[in-house]
Amino acid sequence: MSINTYELYHGAAINRIIDFGKDFKIMKFPSDTNSSYTINQQIGLYIKYSEKRISPWRFNFNKSHQEELQHMKQLHKKVFIIFVCYEDGFTCLSWQELKKLLDDNLEDGEWVHIKRMRKEKYTVTGSDGKLKYKIGKNEFPEKITKNL
């Protein structure tokens, strides 16, 4: 049986969390996508990836993706979205940060755009806004694990 592309990218993100050194129970979140997980039944985790080799990376969110994220938020105390930017690294956003980029008006065709210049942090913008600060490569996975 061959390995699906999403398994490679999701595996890299999940491995980074596991390597952080705490005991976790990571399970698939019941959904129609392959993007959602739950950690210790407390934290929702949604992973998106890009196979584009260099910055900028664009991640599309259709209405069903956003509805799934809202459902996760209803069931978990925290929700994080991990963006795998090919082999460059990970950008991790909290639910609150994502809501600055994609508002509560759920539409098809919304997006998150991530770019990084050499030796700099990630700049993150979205269909409905942007973060006023940059996200460091080293913020993941601590951003998630400190909430357990």
Side-chain angles (χ1 to χ4, degrees):
M1 184 162 88
S2 63
I3 298 171
N4 292 314
T5 304
Y6 83 88
E7 292 175 309
L8 294 171
Y9 291 103
H10 290 204
I14 290 169
N15 184 66
R16 190 68 58 98
I17 294 169
I18 291 169
D19 279 352
F20 201 70
K22 290 187 177 183
D23 289 330
F24 301 109
K25 183 176 183 180
I26 301 175
M27 299 172 47
K28 291 284 283 177
F29 182 78
S31 74
D32 293 335
T33 70
N34 294 320
S35 300
S36 302
Y37 302 86
T38 184
I39 303 174
N40 292 352
Q41 298 179 349
Q42 297 176 16
I43 293 181
L45 191 62
Y46 194 87
I47 303 174
K48 291 191 93 43
Y49 66 90
S50 174
E51 294 182 276
K52 188 171 181 255
R53 291 182 177 271
I54 57 173
S55 174
W57 299 275
R58 186 178 176 109
F59 301 88
N60 294 319
F61 283 83
N62 63 37
K63 190 174 183 178
S64 66
H65 297 159
Q66 294 180 75
E67 289 170 342
E68 184 172 337
L69 280 161
Q70 283 187 326
H71 182 66
M72 290 178 79
K73 180 62 178 149
Q74 293 169 353
L75 298 175
H76 296 86
K77 70 177 190 174
K78 299 273 186 178
V79 172
F80 293 92
I81 302 84
I82 300 172
F83 297 93
V84 184
C85 301
Y86 190 62
E87 293 177 0
D88 187 75
F90 306 94
T91 303
C92 182
L93 300 181
S94 67
W95 170 262
Q96 294 79 9
E97 289 171 320
L98 182 70
K99 291 286 87 188
K100 293 177 184 175
L101 308 172
L102 306 176
D103 62 21
D104 289 327
N105 183 20
L106 309 184
E107 302 173 54
D108 273 328
E110 293 193 275
W111 49 266
V112 170
H113 185 264
I114 299 173
K115 67 179 179 179
R116 187 177 82 82
M117 300 301 287
R118 188 176 172 99
K119 297 184 180 183
E120 289 187 14
K121 294 181 178 183
Y122 293 101
T123 300
V124 186
T125 58
S127 301
D128 301 315
K130 64 180 181 179
L131 296 182
K132 295 179 181 178
Y133 49 89
K134 294 183 178 187
I135 304 288
K137 289 177 88 170
N138 61 350
E139 292 182 29
F140 173 75
E142 187 176 354
K143 192 179 225 178
I144 295 170
T145 58
K146 72 179 182 182
N147 286 283
L148 291 170

